[in-house]
Amino acid sequence: MSADRGPDAPYEIFEIPDFTLVNGQTLRPARIAYRTYGTLNADKSNAIVYPTWYSGRHWDNEWLIGDGSDGMALDPSRWFIIVPNMLGNGLSSSPSNTPPPFDRARFPQITVRDNVESQYRLVTEKFGIEKIALVLGWSMGAGQTYQWAVEHPEMVQRMLPFCGSPRTAPHNKVFLDSLRAAMTASVGFDGGWYPPDRWPVGGLRAFARIYAGWGFSQAFYWDEVWRELGHTSLEDFAVGFWEGFFLDGRDPNNLLTMLDTWWNGDVGLTPGHASTEAALASITARAIVMPAEKDLYFPPEDEAWAVSKMTGCTVEHRVIPGVWGHFAGGGANPVDTKFIDRAVAELLAADPGV
């Protein structure tokens, strides 16, 4: 990793003085943390927007961004890549960094539309960009990708949502409800008013154990593929990977804010659209939709349904093969990374949709 990558590299903040949310409350200000890679060209035609995912930070997206002459499609020597952090992720405005009275358990509800609107303000007001060559993202980043294409069809030329959906499915909501129940029932959670220096660790560990049964596929566990990540037993993986993941500075109130965003995701709630189907039909961007073969959150058949409704654009449903489940889209293994990178390259080389 180069010196200008990773969590220690500098990033920027875009402030919106008064940002009124879908639920009617206002952040004063809303602070959008973001990182850019590359240089915006003179006619501002090389912009790419690559939003973060559930609890991810901008550096967690860097696995798909080229560094030097590695030949990756998201090449900063050619493209200007903007990675905005989701509201609620601890870097952008969140329960953990907002002063009273909207701090912690009083932080307002955030929707996918709120995230995309804040990113739109960043892209247009900070950089003066009128066209976006590509919007792409993993998981909740995919949900934001769909929302961008629905909300701003005049801007988005291409889209590549991978391992994510335009609407959170009922089975997915069951999973999210189990996470919420585990966290809110934890000793020390105290309705979200736990002291900043005493997080409900039991809730975070329970959160991680629930996640462990969903993030990777049954075949991943059957074949003990976790050994490829350096773990020596199933319990070593459960503690070292999953519990370690959620004990890595992820504030519980932040997690619940983003969980609520995920639970309520639906492009059909966009004003001017009567349904999810109508919203999908309005998309004009050239698209490749990429679910993972064994994703338990966003199975391929769900995204096949979405693609069948995208009647206003050129779109392909392309499944990421293999046993990695949802984490096929997280940069955890080189085979899936190459598969996704090839699709990015192909899409960027194609004529745009708008």
Side-chain angles (χ1 to χ4, degrees):
M1 181 177 292
S2 64
D4 65 344
R5 298 288 187 103
D8 296 326
Y11 60 90
E12 299 179 78
I13 298 290
F14 175 70
E15 285 199 357
I16 305 173
D18 295 286
F19 184 60
T20 301
L21 304 164
V22 169
N23 77 345
Q25 291 181 277
T26 300
L27 292 173
R28 302 178 180 88
R31 303 176 79 248
I32 311 304
Y34 69 97
R35 179 80 200 277
T36 63
Y37 305 79
T39 303
L40 188 63
N41 61 15
D43 63 2
K44 302 183 178 182
S45 63
N46 68 333
I48 290 173
V49 177
Y50 182 15
T52 58
W53 38 272
Y54 182 77
S55 86
R57 288 70 57 101
H58 57 271
W59 59 83
D60 295 311
N61 281 10
E62 290 177 341
W63 61 272
L64 195 55
I65 299 173
D67 188 7
S69 58
D70 54 17
M72 296 192 74
L74 293 186
D75 181 357
S77 70
R78 180 181 180 189
W79 301 101
F80 181 63
I81 304 151
I82 305 168
V83 181
N85 288 270
M86 283 180 57
L87 292 163
N89 84 338
L91 296 180
S92 292
S93 290
S94 305
S96 62
N97 62 20
T98 297
F102 292 108
D103 62 322
R104 297 188 284 172
R106 278 288 186 264
F107 191 75
Q109 181 188 54
I110 301 294
T111 67
V112 179
R113 285 185 56 214
D114 293 321
N115 276 291
V116 170
E117 177 60 20
S118 69
Q119 294 163 21
Y120 171 81
R121 298 279 299 270
L122 166 67
V123 166
T124 57
E125 295 175 16
K126 174 68 177 180
F127 297 109
I129 294 167
E130 296 180 354
K131 294 285 186 181
I132 301 173
L134 171 68
V135 182
L136 77 163
W138 174 48
S139 194
M140 285 188 77
Q144 292 166 81
T145 297
Y146 279 110
Q147 188 64 44
W148 259 105
V150 168
E151 193 119 14
H152 299 289
E154 77 289 352
M155 292 184 70
V156 180
Q157 297 180 310
R158 305 171 184 86
M159 59 181 288
L160 202 167
F162 51 99
C163 305
S165 67
R167 180 178 69 191
T168 303
H171 188 233
N172 201 326
K173 290 182 177 182
V174 170
F175 158 68
L176 296 173
D177 287 341
S178 69
L179 293 173
R180 184 189 292 109
M183 186 67 76
T184 57
S186 174
V187 173
F189 181 73
D190 193 23
W193 295 106
Y194 49 88
D197 60 345
R198 290 205 306 275
W199 289 359
V201 174
L204 285 164
R205 290 186 183 274
F207 211 83
R209 289 294 179 137
I210 295 169
Y211 243 99
W214 286 74
F216 296 94
S217 74
Q218 296 95 332
F220 175 93
Y221 284 103
W222 180 268
D223 295 337
E224 298 187 350
V225 181
W226 38 262
R227 293 188 185 277
E228 295 181 19
L229 297 174
H231 296 279
T232 53
S233 69
L234 187 59
E235 184 67 6
D236 184 61
F237 177 62
V239 176
F241 182 91
W242 282 111
E243 293 189 22
F245 184 93
F246 284 104
L247 292 171
D248 184 23
R250 288 170 168 84
D251 181 281
N253 278 321
N254 292 351
L255 291 172
L256 291 176
T257 290
M258 291 180 287
L259 186 153
D260 189 62
T261 303
W262 182 349
W263 199 100
N264 288 288
D266 184 355
V267 294
L269 300 176
T270 308
H273 299 286
S275 65
T276 308
E277 292 86 344
L280 289 168
S282 75
I283 292 174
T284 57
R286 179 180 288 270
I288 299 177
V289 173
M290 295 184 67
E293 180 181 353
K294 295 183 181 296
D295 194 332
L296 301 179
Y297 308 130
F298 309 105
E301 56 266 32
D302 287 6
E303 299 324 296
W305 174 87
V307 166
S308 74
K309 306 303 178 185
M310 295 169 66
T311 54
C313 66
T314 301
V315 57
E316 178 187 349
H317 180 246
R318 184 182 300 181
V319 178
I320 305 169
V323 303
W324 284 71
H326 188 61
F327 271 72
N333 72 91
V335 173
D336 292 337
T337 295
K338 288 179 182 177
F339 190 91
I340 295 166
D341 180 65
R342 283 195 297 269
V344 176
E346 180 181 326
L347 197 53
L348 286 171
D351 291 335
V354 293

